[in-house]
Amino acid sequence: MSTEVQDIQAAGDGAERRLNMIEAINDALDIMLERDPDVIVMGEDVGYFGGVFRCTAGLQQKYGKTRVFDTPISECGIIGVAVGMGAYGLRPVPEIQFADYIYPGLDQLVSEAARLRYRSATEYIAPMTVRSPFGGGIFGGQTHSQSPEALFTHVSGLKTVIPSTPYDAKGLLISCIEDNDPVIFFEPKRIYNGPFSGFYDKPAEPWKRHPQSAVPEGYYKIPLGKARTVSEGEALTVLAYGTMVHVAESVCREKGVDAEILDLRTLVPLDIEAIEESVKKTGRCLIVHEATRTSGFGAELSALVTERCFYHLEAPVERVTGFDTPYPHSLEWAYFPGPIRIGEAIDKLLSE
Amino acid sequence: MADRPDADREAGANKPALRLHVPEPKFRPGDAVDFSHVPISEPGKQPRPDEACDARETEGLCYDLIRVLGDDDRAHGPWDPKLDPDTLRTMLGHFALVRAFDERMFRGQRQGKTSFYMKCTGEEATSVSAAMALASDDMVFPSYRQQGVLIARGYDLVEMINQIYSNKGDKLKGRQLPIMYSSREHSFFSISGNLATQTPQAVGWAMASAIKGDSRIAATWVGEGSTAEGDFHSACTFATVYNAPVILNVINNQWAISSFSGFAGSERTTFAARALGYGLAGLRVDGNDALAVYATQRWAANRARANAGPTLIEYFTYRAEGHSTSDDPSGYRSAQEREEWPLGDPVMRLKNHLIALGEWDEDRQAEMDRETAERVKAATKEAEKNGILGHGMHQPFRTMFEDVFEELPWNLKEQAEQATRERLIKFNGGRPQ
Ligand SMILES: Cc1ncc(C[n+]2csc(CCOP(=O)(O)OP(=O)(O)O)c2C)c(N)n1
């Protein structure tokens, strides 16, 4: 936990609570609504009801209807309106109910929010944090399971942030809200309530029993662009984010592999130094993500590692990903990158 | 935060401060409910313009509420479709079947037989009666709460349950979320979980039908909450520009998950009145009145068929149950709302109408309800022979890679091999059941 403590720029009185990720996100929003009257929380069902995943529970009651409110079911409207609010000087934190539903708002995000600073030479900016649960593993079918992060990393001017622990979720979200650029904050809903080993027949472990669930009281930030070293090791480097951090961790533990696991935490900006340093040390690199393989973020990581660490590599870079198919409802556990797929890739990497 | 361009905020001190309006529903959990603010028109009093009329002639009907069935359980006025008793009994039978099906599938989800289910309780007429007013080969683009359309079209119950259970009999190969049916044979388009996407698609299908000189029209259903999506507005524009033979049904069931219809704009105008700005014909209809639903859907169908233009219909109804099995409405609305809903229940109203006509009685109703429950139970048992979702993965893994493209490219071939290998390792060569 030593790297985490250094991340804290300003902590409260040192008190901690055991929170799940939903509660940690709620806590971050609560703190930012309290600290900054320009922070606005909005989205489908986020007001009175507190969101379908309960991330905004109690906030409207506490801060009133003009700070925390429901919106029409119009993702294009939600994101477009947030651009206008940001241009005025507010810090909107819109929620898109599922990441699969960002697409109707894509033009506002890609052509407008992401470029406003650049095209106006900073006359106007769009400081906004689009929060959205993403990823599979809850039997959500094709339209409640996708991992579209690569799409956003391809857009210049957007930041993409993905926490894997309640601690990170809170500290990163606070950084995102204070950031002056538009950010996509993807919340891995499979681990909202607890980290996940990767075995479909094993239940998630509640965060309150997990060492990483300790969340400091009060305000603290985790800077964007800084990876977290989950475990130090010599045999290979594993690059992962979100739910896959926990799957990779449990596989390495079960196999007894001396892996150095990096939780990237932010894909844009990316902690290239941490990646380079680790791969040069281990000479082997495994990339794990749940999104489909072709043109996934793993392809970018693989290219970067090859460009920067080629002469240190003992084996070709390996990618473990979801398949290049839409998310299949009944076969989602076959789609999900699990222990077998990761295990085989590790064996292959170590045998070279 | 140095570069935020928000310097001059003190300006204009002697001008009135602007205020944001955020809609709020009239009742929350615990509140006593009083629906007297909902204007309920007198049945039979709404004019019925010619089906080929200028769209503007429907203006009044966009704010009124077309009703046929009165408190006396009799049909009134020019919108009475004058259906014969056999048709009315058939309709009532479909209503009963939809309700029994919903009941059983909801329980099935609670028993872990599937992951998800959505009921349409209270809204049966908006799909069953509407479907019965269309030709069986008119193309429908439903949303997720129109199981009544499939039932009215005679779709096999076992097929429906196979889909819900994602079992080995599921002709959609376990890929779709439960209730996201598809049946080309029944001119029923594949359902998407993305709201309002089917509206422009229905218009496109209708345009194609016109381009080809076909005689089939298209109809689509969208929730009032979803009319806020851009897709809905694109659909309206295309429909009017090309005079597409299409019916846009808006099901105003008052709630979109926890958000009341005010968040889709109902505080300022009606959903039917959306038609006016586009130059579409618009009708606002009592959605719990099976006869009014049938009559208005038939009016719009005739209009489309005669190349007289598209119609937007708002069916004013109430979502009596939760949004889905994942939702608990007691967290955001008064439990009393359901009982107090002033337009009653579509099933009871049709039943009472048939009884008033001397064409039905309580004994026959009880007998029908019993038979229907048995029929659904038998279908459930039959479908369960093909497996339930909770029992694991019924589809061969290779099916996951089929139909992404017409032909399997190299990457999917490689991944299919990987998936098969994983299955053999995971289950020691056996297949999980
Ligand atoms: C594009 C998109 N955004 C959000 C959702 C999440 N969602 C599913 S149903 C629903 C409410 C829809 O309400 P309404 O259109 O009124 O239909 P109803 O459920 O009342 O029948 C929402 C917000 C979605 N499925 N698709």
Side-chain angles (χ1 to χ4, degrees):
Chain A
M1 297 278 274
S2 63
T3 52
E4 294 185 358
V5 175
Q6 282 165 14
D7 290 332
I8 300 178
Q9 294 191 347
D13 53 8
E16 286 182 344
R17 284 185 294 163
R18 301 220 153 239
L19 303 181
N20 65 27
M21 198 183 283
I22 294 168
E23 293 161 336
I25 288 163
N26 186 276
D27 195 23
L29 293 171
D30 191 356
I31 288 168
M32 292 311 291
L33 282 160
E34 175 85 49
R35 281 172 73 99
D36 183 352
D38 289 339
V39 171
I40 298 290
V41 169
M42 61 174 182
E44 295 160 20
D45 300 293
V46 306
Y48 181 89
F49 186 58
V52 293
F53 288 102
R54 319 300 297 141
C55 288
T56 56
L59 298 177
Q60 182 176 74
Q61 287 75 356
K62 198 162 167 190
Y63 297 100
K65 278 198 306 180
T66 54
R67 303 277 315 277
V68 180
F69 51 84
D70 289 333
T71 61
I73 303 174
S74 171
E75 291 74 15
C76 161
I78 294 169
I79 295 172
V81 159
V83 172
M85 288 178 169
Y88 181 92
L90 296 184
R91 294 190 170 272
V93 188
E95 174 181 303
I96 300 294
Q97 206 158 71
F98 286 89
D100 314 63
Y101 305 138
I102 295 182
Y103 303 130
L106 206 61
D107 185 50
Q108 285 292 340
L109 209 46
V110 171
S111 316
E112 306 301 321
R115 292 188 207 151
L116 193 56
R117 175 191 293 282
Y118 192 76
R119 76 181 191 206
S120 72
T122 77
E123 274 196 330
Y124 296 102
I125 59 169
M128 58 198 263
T129 304
V130 180
R131 292 181 38 246
S132 193
F134 87 124
I138 62 154
F139 278 112
Q142 313 190 356
T143 54
H144 301 82
S145 306
Q146 293 164 69
S147 299
E149 67 275 9
L151 209 64
F152 299 98
T153 63
H154 193 58
V155 177
S156 326
L158 284 182
K159 291 177 176 166
T160 304
V161 178
I162 301 174
S164 74
T165 67
Y167 170 88
D168 278 8
K170 179 174 169 183
L172 287 169
L173 182 54
I174 290 178
S175 288
C176 292
I177 295 172
E178 290 190 350
D179 200 280
N180 282 326
D181 288 314
V183 186
I184 310 293
F185 188 82
F186 280 131
E187 299 164 7
K189 60 181 172 292
R190 184 63 182 88
I191 55 170
Y192 261 162
N193 292 304
F196 174 57
S197 70
F199 293 86
Y200 83 86
D201 46 356
K202 285 188 192 165
E205 187 186 348
W207 278 112
K208 62 173 175 297
R209 278 201 266 117
H210 200 266
Q212 287 165 348
S213 71
V215 177
E217 298 270 12
Y219 174 92
Y220 68 91
K221 287 206 291 186
I222 294 173
L224 306 186
K226 233 179 143 294
R228 172 173 75 98
T229 306
V230 178
S231 67
E232 291 188 11
E234 302 288 337
L236 79 160
T237 298
V238 181
L239 305 180
Y241 48 88
T243 306
M244 286 300 137
V245 170
H246 303 279
V247 181
E249 198 185 356
S250 80
V251 175
C252 291
R253 201 186 315 118
E254 296 227 348
K255 284 181 79 77
V257 180
D258 182 26
E260 179 143 304
I261 302 174
L262 292 188
D263 172 1
L264 299 179
R265 298 204 287 206
T266 67
L267 306 189
V268 177
L270 185 67
D271 191 348
I272 190 66
E273 279 167 27
I275 294 171
E276 216 177 310
E277 194 184 314
S278 177
V279 175
K280 282 180 178 167
K281 180 176 89 175
T282 65
R284 291 180 164 84
C285 180
L286 171 68
I287 297 156
V288 190
H289 64 60
E290 189 189 331
T292 47
R293 185 180 187 85
T294 300
S295 304
F297 194 67
E300 177 64 27
L301 289 171
S302 172
L304 283 170
V305 167
T306 308
E307 281 164 9
R308 289 165 182 254
C309 310
F310 186 76
Y311 294 107
H312 294 81
L313 288 175
E314 308 281 346
V317 177
E318 275 290 318
R319 276 185 289 162
V320 172
T321 67
F323 296 133
D324 288 337
T325 71
Y327 220 91
H329 175 249
S330 68
L331 290 180
E332 72 172 20
W333 292 112
Y335 180 95
F336 207 75
I340 297 173
R341 213 172 306 163
I342 295 173
E344 282 189 354
I346 290 177
D347 292 344
K348 193 170 163 210
L349 266 173
L350 295 181
S351 70
E352 303 253 353
Chain B
M1 287 179 237
D3 60 346
R4 277 175 57 193
D6 65 347
D8 246 342
R9 298 228 277 165
E10 298 298 301
N14 61 352
K15 295 179 194 159
L18 301 171
R19 267 192 314 272
L20 188 71
H21 170 72
V22 179
E24 184 62 36
K26 290 217 171 344
F27 319 109
R28 285 298 192 186
D31 288 347
V33 169
D34 172 10
F35 276 126
S36 57
H37 65 282
V38 179
I40 304 295
S41 323
E42 196 181 326
K45 289 286 185 260
Q46 301 74 42
R48 185 182 184 282
D50 190 88
E51 286 153 359
C53 72
D54 190 295
R56 281 174 221 217
E57 281 183 48
T58 63
E59 185 175 344
L61 294 170
C62 289
Y63 300 105
D64 206 333
L65 196 61
I66 297 172
R67 304 183 73 211
V68 173
L69 278 174
D71 289 343
D72 57 358
D73 299 323
R74 300 280 173 177
H76 299 271
W79 285 97
D80 176 7
K82 303 210 165 34
L83 297 175
D84 61 74
D86 279 344
T87 305
L88 292 175
R89 277 188 292 262
T90 302
M91 196 183 283
L92 187 65
H94 292 331
F95 283 1
L97 191 52
V98 172
R99 205 159 270 193
F101 188 81
D102 274 3
E103 226 28 75
R104 186 124 206 134
M105 291 300 106
F106 189 90
R107 253 198 295 152
Q109 191 275 342
R110 292 293 190 248
Q111 293 163 346
K113 292 177 184 172
T114 188
S115 56
F116 180 78
Y117 192 72
M118 293 176 108
K119 289 177 155 188
C120 67
T121 311
E123 301 172 45
E124 291 88 348
T126 62
S127 55
V128 169
S129 308
M132 286 179 72
L134 298 171
S136 62
D137 61 351
D138 285 337
M139 186 69 181
V140 297
F141 290 77
S143 182
Y144 46 64
R145 225 182 281 283
Q146 278 76 47
Q147 51 267 54
V149 173
L150 276 178
I151 294 221
R153 287 192 166 180
Y155 192 51
D156 182 30
L157 293 185
V158 180
E159 290 269 8
M160 284 176 84
I161 304 171
N162 284 339
Q163 196 283 322
I164 291 166
Y165 286 174
S166 281
N167 62 20
K168 61 173 179 278
D170 174 11
K171 72 187 184 79
L172 305 184
K173 303 184 187 174
R175 292 170 182 158
Q176 272 275 53
L177 198 64
I179 68 152
M180 303 269 170
Y181 315 101
S182 178
S183 177
R184 194 182 168 103
E185 207 189 326
H186 294 80
S187 299
F188 187 97
F189 197 69
S190 157
I191 298 174
S192 171
N194 296 49
L195 296 171
T197 49
Q198 77 275 25
T199 49
Q201 295 164 7
V203 175
W205 196 97
M207 288 168 65
S209 188
I211 289 168
K212 289 287 216 177
D214 196 345
S215 61
R216 292 174 295 165
I217 64 166
T220 183
W221 281 255
V222 66
E224 92 289 344
S226 305
T227 61
E229 291 285 4
D231 279 359
F232 174 76
H233 300 275
S234 307
C236 291
T237 303
F238 276 71
T240 199
V241 166
Y242 298 104
N243 209 44
V246 68
I247 306 170
L248 304 166
N249 293 307
V250 174
I251 308 303
N252 179 2
N253 66 6
Q254 316 300 324
W255 290 91
I257 311 187
S258 76
S259 307
F260 85 117
S261 58
F263 283 100
S266 72
E267 288 181 327
R268 315 285 176 199
T269 186
T270 68
F271 293 97
R274 301 275 188 279
L276 299 173
Y278 292 101
L280 299 166
L283 305 174
R284 187 161 172 273
V285 184
D286 175 351
N288 290 10
D289 177 341
L291 299 186
V293 173
Y294 184 96
T296 47
Q297 193 72 19
R298 178 52 71 84
W299 185 93
N302 289 345
R303 179 178 175 83
R305 244 183 266 292
N307 287 309
T311 306
L312 189 162
I313 307 181
E314 171 184 355
Y315 288 121
F316 194 73
T317 179
Y318 185 76
R319 194 195 76 210
E321 293 278 351
H323 172 74
S324 73
T325 44
S326 313
D327 176 44
D328 175 10
S330 70
Y332 52 81
R333 70 183 188 189
S334 168
Q336 250 197 328
E337 277 194 18
R338 179 175 177 169
E339 291 133 53
E340 297 293 322
W341 181 246
L343 295 172
D345 172 71
V347 183
M348 298 309 278
R349 283 174 70 188
L350 183 59
K351 181 189 95 171
N352 292 340
H353 175 54
L354 267 163
I355 291 174
L357 291 177
E359 296 286 348
W360 197 242
D361 55 55
E362 292 292 354
D363 288 347
R364 279 199 270 179
Q365 177 76 24
E367 177 61 15
M368 183 181 77
D369 284 345
R370 201 188 52 74
E371 265 175 25
T372 308
E374 283 304 315
R375 201 178 141 199
V376 173
K377 196 168 154 194
T380 310
K381 289 239 157 71
E382 192 58 33
E384 278 178 19
K385 288 185 192 155
N386 296 323
I388 56 173
L389 181 69
H391 283 184
M393 299 172 275
H394 302 284
Q395 316 294 330
F397 277 19
R398 73 178 149 69
T399 61
M400 186 171 23
F401 303 92
E402 292 166 355
D403 311 326
V404 178
F405 299 109
E406 193 166 5
E407 277 163 31
L408 207 64
W410 65 268
N411 57 321
L412 287 174
K413 260 185 214 148
E414 273 186 24
Q415 292 172 20
E417 281 157 22
Q418 171 76 27
T420 306
R421 191 163 62 243
E422 288 178 15
R423 181 170 202 146
L424 291 175
I425 298 169
K426 202 182 266 171
F427 303 107
N428 270 333
R431 278 187 47 183
Q433 273 311 325

